[in-house]
C-alpha cells in the first residue's frame, strides 16, 4: 500500500506514476474522500473532548451531589446527546476509512524513477546477456516433443486426471525433476538463505498482505470447507513474506533471507491459447522462492545481490540467458522495480522468463504491517521486502532438456546435476545411462 501522507502532498506526481502502471487515479474522488474523513475525525474528536469535559464537570459536582443534583442531571442529558452524536460520527468515520482502504488496496506500487518507461513487454530493456548460446548441428526441438518420445512426460494422462495445464513426469523425467529440486535448494543454502517450509493454503488477509488480493482474485484457486475460506498460494512469496505479518523486528536481525521450495497454484486467467503445449505454463508447479527483509538503507544493495543469486544458479547449469529490466507497463502490481532473467530455449528459439526479481520497498510491509525498530531513532519503521525466483523447477527442467538435447534425441545431464543424478544422459528410450 502506498503512503497516504506522501500521496496527499504529491497528488499530481502520484497520479502520473500510477498511470504508468495502468491505474487511473480519480483525484477528485480521492481528495474529497480524504477531506471528508479529516472533517468527520475532527468533529468526532471535538465532541469527544466536550464529552470528557462534561464527565470531569459531573465528577466535580458529585462532591456535593444533593446541592448540584439538578445541574448534574442536565449535564448528563447533554452528554448523552453528545455520545449519541459521537457514535454516529464514529460509524461514518469507520465506513469512510474502509472505503479509502479498499480504494488504496487496488492501487499498484509506483515505479522507481529508473524503471524504463513503456507500455508492455515489447518495451522492456535488455541489460546484459550472460553465458554462451548453444550451437546445434541439427534443428533442436521443444521439450514436450523430446519428453513424449522418451516416455518421460505424459500430458494425456495428466489431462485425464485434472484437465489441461497439468503434467505427469515418469521415470527419468521424475528423477531429473527431483535432482533439480535438490540442486535449487542447495543453491539457496550456498547463497546464504535460511530454508523454511510453509503452508500452501492461506487466508484472505495473507493474500492481501503481498498484493495478490483484491485485484487478482480471478487468478487464484481457493477452497471453502466448513465455512472457512483458504487460498492456494501462487508463490511461496505470499506465506514467507507474511511470516512477520503484524510484527516489529529488531534492526540487528536484518537483513533476513529465507528460501522456500513449495507447490504453487495459478488459474492462469487470461492466458488462453498461450503455452498450451508442454509444461511451461501450468496450474500447479514447484518453485524455490528467495525472500528478503531489509532496512530501507540496505534495500538496493540487497536487490543487486538477489539478482546475482539467480544468475549464479543459471551459470552453474551452463545456460545462456539475458537480464531484462521490466518497463512500467509490464511491471508487477506490487513491484517498484523488477529484473527478469530470461533463459534461451533453443527448441522455441526464444528467450523465456525463468526468474523474476523484484524490490517492493515498503509497499507490502504497509499492507502486512511489518516493521522494524530503528536502533538509532528508537522508532518503528516499515521494512522493505524483496523476492526472486530461484528457480521454478519445471522451467529449469525445460531449459535443461532443450539446451542439453543431442542429435539422436537423448539429453545429457549437466555437470551441476550429476551430484544428484549420477548418470551421463537420458537415452532416447527414456533410460538413465
Amino acid at each position: 500500500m502506498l503512503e497516504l501522507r506522501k500521496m496527499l502532498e504529491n497528488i499530481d506526481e502520484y497520479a502520473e506514476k500510477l498511470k504508468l502502471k495502468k491505474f487511473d487515479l480519480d483525484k477528485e474522488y480521492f481528495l474529497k474522500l480524504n477531506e471528508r474523513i479529516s472533517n468527520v475525525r475532527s468533529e468526532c474528536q471535538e465532541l469527544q473532548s466536550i464529552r470528557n469535559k462534561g464527565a470531569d464537570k459531573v465528577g466535580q459536582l458529585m462532591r456535593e451531589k444533593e446541592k448540584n443534583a439538578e445541574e448534574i442531571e442536565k449535564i448528563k442529558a447533554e452528554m448523552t446527546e453528545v455520545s449519541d452524536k459521537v457514535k454516529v460520527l464514529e460509524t461514518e468515520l469507520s465506513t469512510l476509512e474502509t472505503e479509502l482502504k479498499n480504494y488504496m488496496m487496488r492501487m499498484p506500487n509506483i515505479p522507481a524513477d529508473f524503471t524504463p518507461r513503456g507500455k508492455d513487454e515489447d518495451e522492456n530493456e535488455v541489460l546484459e546477456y550472460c553465458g554462451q548460446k548453444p550451437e546445434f548441428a541439427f534443428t533442436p526441438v521443444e521439450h514436450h516433443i523430446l519428453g513424449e518420445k522418451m516416455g518421460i512426460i505424459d500430458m494425456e494422462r495428466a489431462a485425464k486426471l485434472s484437465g489441461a495445464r497439468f503434467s505427469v513426469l515418469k521415470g527419468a523425467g521424475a528423477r531429473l525433476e527431483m535432482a533439480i529440486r535438490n540442486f535449487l535448494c542447495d543453491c539457496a543454502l550456498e547463497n546464504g538463505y535460511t530454508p523454511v517450509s510453509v503452508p500452501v493454503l492461506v487466508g484472505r488477509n495473507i493474500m492481501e498482505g503481498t498484493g495478490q488480493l483484491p485485484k487478482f482474485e480471478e487468478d487464484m484457486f481457493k477452497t471453502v470447507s466448513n465455512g472457512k475460506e483458504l487460498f492456494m498460494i501462487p508463490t511461496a512469496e505470499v506465506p514467507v513474506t507474511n511470516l512477520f505479518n503484524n510484527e516489529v523486528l529488531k534492526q540487528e536481525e536484518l537483513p533476513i533471507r529465507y528460501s522456500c521450495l513449495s507447490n504453487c497454484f495459478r488459474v492462469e486467467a487470461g492466458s488462453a491459447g498461450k503455452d498450451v503445449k508442454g509444461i511451461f505454463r501450468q496450474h500447479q508447479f514447484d518453485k524455490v522462492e528467495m525472500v528478503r527483509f531489509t532496512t530501507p538503507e540496505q534495500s538496493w544493495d540487497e536487490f543487486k545481490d538477489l539478482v546475482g543469486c539467480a544468475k549464479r544458479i543459471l551459470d552453474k547449469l551452463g545456460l545462456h540467458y539475458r537480464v531484462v529490466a521490466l518497463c512500467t507497463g509490464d511491471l508487477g502490481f506490487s513491484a517498484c522495480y523488477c529484473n527478469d532473467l530470461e533463459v534461451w530455449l533453443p527448441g522455441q528459439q526464444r528467450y523465456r522468463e525463468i526468474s523474476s526479481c523484484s524490490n517492493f520497498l515498503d509497499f507490502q510491509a504497509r499492507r502486512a504491517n511489518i516493521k522494524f525498530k530503528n536502533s538509532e531513532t528508537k522508532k518503528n519503521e516499515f521494512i522493505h521486502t524483496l523476492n526472486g525466483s530461484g528457480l521454478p523447477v519445471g522451467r529449469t527442467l525445460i531449459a535443461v532438456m532443450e539446451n542439453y538435447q543431442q542429435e539422436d534425441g537423448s539429453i545429457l545431464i549437466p555437470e551441476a546435476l550429476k551430484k544428484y543424478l549420477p548418470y551421463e544422459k537420458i537415452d532416447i528410450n527414456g533410460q538413465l545411462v
Side-chain angles (χ1 to χ4, degrees), residues 25-58:
L25 177 65
D26 188 336
K27 289 192 291 184
E28 182 179 1
Y29 162 75
F30 185 69
L31 291 173
K32 283 185 176 179
L33 179 58
N34 276 281
E35 183 181 12
R36 180 59 183 155
I37 289 173
S38 180
N39 291 339
V40 172
R41 185 181 290 120
S42 295
E43 189 178 353
C44 190
Q45 289 170 347
E46 186 177 340
L47 288 173
Q48 287 170 336
S49 178
I50 292 171
R51 184 176 61 184
N52 292 338
K53 288 177 182 177
D56 290 342
K57 181 66 174 176
V58 168

Side-chain angles (χ1 to χ4, degrees), residues 116 123-129 321-325 342 351:
E123 297 185 75
N124 291 342
E125 179 184 335
V126 177
L127 301 178
E128 63 175 325
Y129 290 90
Y321 60 96
R322 66 184 186 184
V323 182
V324 176
E342 298 179 344
Y351 293 95

Side-chain angles (χ1 to χ4, degrees), residues 247-260:
E247 291 189 30
V248 179
L249 304 175
K250 296 176 182 177
Q251 184 170 346
E252 51 268 28
E253 294 178 305
L254 303 175
I256 294 173
R257 300 165 183 158
Y258 284 155
S259 65
C260 181

Side-chain angles (χ1 to χ4, degrees), residues 392-433:
V393 176
R395 292 190 181 187
T396 305
L397 177 71
I398 291 170
V400 167
M401 290 179 68
E402 292 200 13
N403 280 276
Y404 284 89
Q405 62 181 291
Q406 303 298 298
E407 190 167 9
D408 65 355
S410 62
I411 301 168
L412 297 181
I413 306 298
E415 287 299 320
L417 295 180
K418 287 183 178 178
K419 172 183 174 182
Y420 312 92
L421 194 62
Y423 296 90
E424 289 300 315
K425 66 179 180 179
I426 305 173
D427 70 17
I428 58 173
N429 298 311
Q431 301 298 311
L432 286 161
V433 293

